């Protein structure tokens, strides 16, 4: 089973999101081989969930609030996303951490909120270019894992980890993808590290400038269970090509 998760971020207009989801919902992908999930913005979320209902796609939240209900202006809770049909939620995406100053404590609370509400959290981790330069990659990733997971009751709970080196994310422009061998190596030791938190097998996805041309070089590696795709997932032809390539394996 290969995971293909599409993070549409805030790239598209309201109408473009509608059009892309309707066009995509008309494609049939092999559910025995692929787990495809689309992460639209919050405004389009319910509409996209309705478009994909009964199709071979799940929908996920790009971010969740950690309190279920109450006087929290502007927040949208994991509970609300669950009620609107979210199966997954991204937690701790680097754009949340570094642009919106989301710290490890908030990430931990969001992980907990997802688990309580029955949403599968996709914990995003990864080092910055500076970490890499200072040889702090392993330190950063281990710290992000421990702060997010320590103290959570993961028994019987599904979680996913996305390894996304911050320097590899395209952020609208051209990114520098991590080499597949390097990513595979990091996935190997993340898998090992995760054993202290859960007995379950945790799928680990690679994210950072994945497109239809390089996707196979990642998913063919032994330790990479799938991909989290940003920019390339927002263009219909490119994304369908990417998915078809993985499906052909
Ligand atoms: C992301 O930010 O989750 C991502 C993978 O972006 P991109 O594919 O555009 O590098």
């Amino acid at each position: 089973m290969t995971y293909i998760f599409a993070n549409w971020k805030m790239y598209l207009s309201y109408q473009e999101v509608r059009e892309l989801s309707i066009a995509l919902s008309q494609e049939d992908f092999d559910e025995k081989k692929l787990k495809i999930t689309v992460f639209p913005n919050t405004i389009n979320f319910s509409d996209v969930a309705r478009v994909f209902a009964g199709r071979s796609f799940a929908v996920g939240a790009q971010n969740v609030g950690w309190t279920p209900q109450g006087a929290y202006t502007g927040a949208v809770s994991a509970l609300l996303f669950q009620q609107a049909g979210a199966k997954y939620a991204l937690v701790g995406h680097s754009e949340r951490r570094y642009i919106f100053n989301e710290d490890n404590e908030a990430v931990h609370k969001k992980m907990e909120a997802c688990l309580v509400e029955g949403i599968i959290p996709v914990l995003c981790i990864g080092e910055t270019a500076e970490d890499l330069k200072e040889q702090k990659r392993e330190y950063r990733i281990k710290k992000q894992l421990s702060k997010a997971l320590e103290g959570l009751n993961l028994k019987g709970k599904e979680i996913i980890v996305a390894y996304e080196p911050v320097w590899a994310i395209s952020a609208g422009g051209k990114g520098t993808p991590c080499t597949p061998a390097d990513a595979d190596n990091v996935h190997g030791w993340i898998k090992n590290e995760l054993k202290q938190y859960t007995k379950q097998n945790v799928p680990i996805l690679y994210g950072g400038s994945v497109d239809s041309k390089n996707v196979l070089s990642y998913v063919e590696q032994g330790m990479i269970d799938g991909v989290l795709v940003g920019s390339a997932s927002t263009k219909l032809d490119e994304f369908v090509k990417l998915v078809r390539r993985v499906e052909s394996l």
Side-chain angles (χ1 to χ4, degrees):
M1 182 62 76
T2 306
Y3 293 76
I4 303 179
F5 281 10
N7 179 10
W8 290 350
K9 308 193 185 188
M10 208 179 67
Y11 278 129
L12 304 168
S13 71
Y14 183 78
Q15 192 53 28
E16 285 168 338
V17 172
R18 297 203 71 196
E19 285 166 11
L20 179 59
S21 51
I22 290 167
L24 211 46
S25 74
Q26 280 151 16
E27 299 282 334
D28 261 324
F29 297 114
D30 189 344
E31 287 175 73
K32 288 191 211 81
K33 285 184 166 179
L34 306 171
K35 272 192 198 284
I36 306 175
T37 301
V38 168
F39 296 79
N41 69 66
T42 304
I43 296 291
N44 286 94
F45 187 89
S46 295
D47 194 25
V48 174
R50 273 191 295 273
V51 169
F52 287 131
R55 312 289 303 151
S56 51
F57 295 83
V59 281
Q62 292 181 13
N63 178 40
V64 296
W66 43 266
T67 41
Q69 220 167 10
Y72 299 98
T73 303
V76 182
S77 64
L79 173 63
L80 281 167
F81 274 110
Q82 181 272 325
Q83 290 167 343
K87 179 164 183 187
Y88 300 95
L90 303 181
V91 177
H93 189 280
S94 60
E95 286 150 18
R96 301 292 323 165
R97 291 181 193 263
Y98 297 108
I99 301 173
F100 297 103
N101 298 324
E102 200 168 291
D103 61 14
N104 282 322
E105 197 189 328
V107 171
H108 181 90
K109 287 184 187 162
K110 289 177 182 198
M111 289 293 292
E112 192 161 37
C114 287
L115 295 172
V116 166
E117 306 305 349
I119 288 183
I120 301 169
V122 182
L123 173 63
C124 302
I125 55 172
E127 78 285 357
T128 62
E130 204 180 342
D131 291 333
L132 195 65
K133 207 165 104 203
E134 292 171 3
Q135 301 186 320
K136 282 190 177 159
R137 175 193 250 179
E138 201 164 326
Y139 162 82
R140 182 68 58 215
I141 291 173
K142 285 185 176 170
K143 188 155 181 190
Q144 287 173 339
L145 283 174
S146 68
K147 293 282 183 190
L149 300 177
E150 256 169 28
L152 288 184
N153 182 4
L154 294 175
K155 207 159 175 232
K157 304 278 189 188
E158 219 180 308
I159 65 164
I160 293 179
V161 167
Y163 170 56
E164 300 202 294
V166 182
W167 49 270
I169 292 179
S170 72
K174 215 177 141 30
T176 315
C178 187
T179 66
D182 192 15
D184 195 53
N185 178 40
V186 177
H187 279 230
W189 61 254
I190 292 174
K191 258 190 210 295
N192 218 22
E193 189 71 13
L194 283 168
K195 285 184 191 149
Q196 63 185 289
Y197 302 107
T198 173
K199 288 193 175 56
Q200 274 162 236
N201 177 46
V202 177
I204 308 179
L205 321 186
Y206 167 75
S209 299
V210 174
D211 59 24
S212 66
K213 291 189 199 75
N214 63 18
V215 66
L216 291 187
S217 65
Y218 291 103
V219 298
E220 282 178 338
Q221 302 284 331
M223 297 290 167
I224 298 180
D225 301 297
V227 284
L228 177 53
V229 188
S231 176
S233 71
T234 61
K235 298 158 202 116
L236 179 67
D237 293 352
E238 167 66 1
F239 188 59
V240 170
K241 203 191 287 175
L242 183 157
V243 177
R244 293 282 175 222
R245 288 212 167 132
V246 179
E247 193 180 35
S248 72
L249 286 176

